[in-house]
Amino acid sequence: MTDWTRASAAQMIAAMKAGEVTSVELTQAHLDRIADVDGAVHAFLHVNGEEALEVARGVDAAREAGEDLPELAGVPIAVKDILVTQGMPTTAGSKILEGWEPPYDATVTRKLREARMPILGKTNMDEFAMGSSTEHSGYGPTHNPWDLERIPGGSGGGSSASIASWEAPLAIGSDTGGSIRQPASVTGTVGVKPTYGGVSRYGAIALASSLDQLGPCARTVEDAALLHEVMGGHDPMDATSLNEPVPSCVAAAREGREGDLTGVRVGVIKELSGEGYQAGVEQRFNESLEKLKGLGAEIVEVSCPSFEYALAAYYLILPSEASSNLAKFDSVRFGMRVEKGNVERTMGATRAEGFGDEVKRRIILGTYALSAGYYDAYYGSAQKVRTLIQRDFEAAFEKADVLVSPTTPTTPFKIGERIDDPLAMYLNDVATIPANLAGIPGMSLPSGIAPEDGLPTGFQILAPAHEDARMYRIGAALEKALAAEWGGTLSSQAPELEVAK
Ligand code: GLN
């Protein structure tokens, strides 16, 4: 019998159309897989089995009746717990929202429902998407399917781990400083941060509004493209939503697989290599460059000198915006409430108990950076650095069509290793943060396995704003060249997980 959890979304679509499998069978296979392995992986905070099967039954009946269905109809999906979902709990990984059921759907949630995709459940994440390891979740960490003692990245570790462990073929992530790309890199999967404004954030619990972007997580570039096109598009409910057509990601990915990159200039960012980058990560990165060259691309070196300050600027801008966004968790409107006599004390006690340490750290930092007297020195300077970074990108894109780097400096570290050292944790994001500061799209795809530890490595592709399709073309070309050596997706090289009895 075919194990449908091992198929790509594109294969599932074809098989459903050919009558080889039903959506109910696909959905049930993934729910069974979740029952088998999620006790060990802990990718999910909530499993939505009954409703998912009901949606699947509806799709099967519609297909039976000869109705026209959306492309991804019947393909199950996991959703990061940052998206509000009517009828399902939404916590953003925080105890302060434990038990909260949103009264409405996020725009992306609605789009998934309209696409008739069974939603398998909500995935674990660092509290309010602050972190790079999912260890800051209020509900315990997620484990990396490649090695259960290691982190699956963050903040969207649950989404990426669910895909890497075959619990879901697709998932939704959010990327404020790398939370789609970094987990993709350390779990050997694909993750895309679209151009800022390309996907509506309405109903995505805000972390830092000038940086946040929702995007697709998948095991192949084409699958990510399919989901990207479902998620994207203008939304009057989001003031920052771009009013332009969704980029043709699927066509670009398919074109990329033809494997001709003649005339494409690939810029290697000089500043994102060297000190701090693991040997095996750099080795796989350089081999990927050779593959691109073999497909006809021209490799050039570019320099982005202001990237040196990107991390510092990000960790002022993000806490500043987060401190404001998180003010709404006040014990009155949502979730937890710790009664302490009067409103002020109740608010204080609720926030003291409901928020974890990392969230408190950033609220304090952000409040300080925004305070009168310090605003210009901290927040104002960070915004100036942001402009310099945008200029670096503009200059680099004069010389190259896409820019590339390793996605993360290292393979996944051990759970517990960096939890008490926030700066070491923040350093993980050094290669992903610049794209958020500039609002440009970025993709991470697997580049291989580091020889020294047997763990996955990631390759990042960045494109100018609005040119998301370009990344899909180049990513799909590279993926195809690399997959020839792996005999399929990199996920198929991961050690088998033990199945619960
Ligand atoms: N790791 C980064 C942080 O902690 C990115 C978070 C994100 O993209 N949501 O802020």
Side-chain angles (χ1 to χ4, degrees):
M1 208 191 87
T2 315
D3 180 356
W4 286 105
T5 62
R6 306 284 156 143
S8 67
Q11 288 165 338
M12 291 178 197
I13 294 169
M16 279 189 283
K17 284 184 182 163
E20 289 160 14
V21 70
T22 63
S23 175
V24 168
E25 286 165 341
L26 288 179
T27 305
Q28 190 60 57
H30 287 94
L31 292 170
D32 291 347
R33 178 72 181 166
I34 293 169
D36 283 346
V37 301
D38 208 52
V41 177
H42 192 228
F44 285 88
L45 292 177
H46 173 76
V47 179
N48 185 43
E50 255 172 59
E51 195 204 304
L53 285 168
E54 197 180 303
V55 171
R57 278 191 289 272
V59 169
D60 291 339
R63 200 182 300 279
E64 191 73 42
E67 272 176 46
D68 263 352
L69 285 164
E71 189 68 358
L72 274 168
V75 177
I77 185 163
V79 172
K80 187 177 182 179
D81 206 25
I82 202 158
L83 269 197
V84 303
T85 43
Q86 199 172 8
M88 270 178 256
T90 299
T91 67
S94 182
K95 282 282 173 193
I96 210 162
L97 282 177
E98 191 166 23
W100 181 59
E101 268 208 19
Y104 70 108
D105 272 336
T107 295
V108 166
T109 309
R110 175 175 59 72
K111 286 182 180 237
L112 299 179
R113 294 195 203 275
E114 284 167 6
R116 305 187 68 169
M117 301 177 72
I119 298 177
L120 295 166
K122 306 294 292 289
T123 58
N124 198 14
M125 55 183 282
D126 285 298
E127 186 175 6
F128 292 110
M130 298 180 191
S132 310
S133 68
T134 317
E135 291 165 285
H136 292 306
S137 166
Y139 302 92
T142 296
H143 301 260
N144 192 318
W146 285 76
D147 174 351
L148 294 172
E149 286 179 13
R150 292 183 185 263
I151 59 105
S155 63
S159 280
S160 293
S162 75
I163 288 173
S165 58
W166 315 101
E167 295 173 295
L170 295 170
I172 302 287
S174 69
D175 193 311
T176 304
S179 288
I180 292 175
R181 291 163 288 155
Q182 184 257 4
S185 175
V186 300
T187 58
T189 56
V190 177
V192 176
K193 178 200 110 60
T195 295
Y196 182 76
V199 174
S200 166
R201 288 105 44 87
Y202 177 70
I205 295 173
L207 171 54
S209 307
S210 76
L211 303 161
D212 294 345
Q213 191 52 215
L214 298 170
C217 310
R219 287 187 296 262
T220 71
V221 173
E222 185 190 17
D223 282 4
L226 284 160
L227 182 55
H228 190 142
E229 289 194 16
V230 168
M231 301 172 73
H234 179 63
D235 179 15
M237 299 300 278
D238 176 353
T240 59
S241 168
L242 292 171
N243 199 349
E244 59 183 47
V246 183
S248 300
C249 308
V250 178
R254 290 182 183 155
E255 187 191 333
R257 281 215 307 256
E258 313 267 305
D260 181 10
L261 296 183
T262 312
V264 174
R265 296 166 307 161
V266 173
V268 177
I269 304 172
K270 194 172 102 195
E271 285 74 11
L272 300 182
S273 66
E275 203 196 324
Y277 285 77
Q278 191 179 319
V281 169
E282 294 219 312
Q283 185 187 330
R284 295 302 180 223
F285 175 71
N286 290 326
E287 288 166 6
S288 299
L289 291 180
E290 286 306 314
K291 293 267 183 232
L292 290 172
K293 225 195 247 176
L295 298 173
E298 183 195 342
I299 311 294
V300 298
E301 192 184 78
V302 299
S303 175
C304 295
S306 306
F307 282 19
E308 191 185 339
Y309 310 107
L311 205 68
Y314 172 88
Y315 277 103
L316 283 169
I317 294 170
L318 178 136
S320 299
E321 294 185 19
S323 69
S324 160
N325 275 326
L326 266 53
K328 64 179 164 288
F329 299 106
D330 58 1
S331 78
V332 178
R333 285 176 280 193
F334 316 92
M336 180 189 273
R337 183 183 183 93
V338 180
E339 286 293 347
K340 272 277 183 299
N342 67 34
V343 175
E344 214 162 296
R345 296 224 308 263
T346 296
M347 227 178 255
T350 305
R351 286 168 69 89
E353 190 167 323
F355 287 144
D357 289 348
E358 183 62 22
V359 171
K360 286 178 190 158
R361 182 181 296 127
R362 296 200 195 188
I363 291 175
I364 292 168
L365 208 70
T367 309
Y368 182 77
L370 289 178
S371 54
Y374 294 104
Y375 184 94
D376 285 337
Y378 294 113
Y379 187 73
S381 306
Q383 289 293 17
K384 286 182 191 147
V385 169
R386 190 170 190 172
T387 305
L388 294 177
I389 287 166
Q390 286 161 352
R391 285 192 196 147
D392 275 2
F393 271 125
E394 276 166 33
F397 282 124
E398 298 270 313
K399 298 199 183 96
D401 302 303
V402 288
L403 303 177
V404 297
S405 74
T407 312
T408 51
T410 67
T411 54
F413 47 90
K414 286 232 165 82
I415 291 177
E417 202 178 295
R418 299 196 187 168
I419 190 80
D420 296 322
D421 185 351
L423 286 181
M425 188 75 88
Y426 299 166
L427 276 171
N428 259 289
D429 310 324
V430 66
T432 48
I433 277 173
N436 301 80
L437 289 170
I440 64 169
M443 165 186 287
S444 179
L445 73 157
S447 57
I449 297 172
E452 61 269 40
D453 55 20
L455 294 163
T457 58
F459 188 92
Q460 177 174 241
I461 305 175
L462 304 170
H466 316 282
E467 300 294 342
D468 304 48
R470 199 182 289 175
M471 297 180 317
Y472 281 96
R473 175 169 166 231
I474 290 149
L478 175 59
E479 171 185 67
K480 187 164 177 219
L482 290 169
E485 280 164 30
W486 307 332
T489 59
L490 191 69
S491 300
S492 57
Q493 303 286 307
E496 282 299 325
L497 289 167
E498 214 168 297
V499 166
K501 292 281 169 287

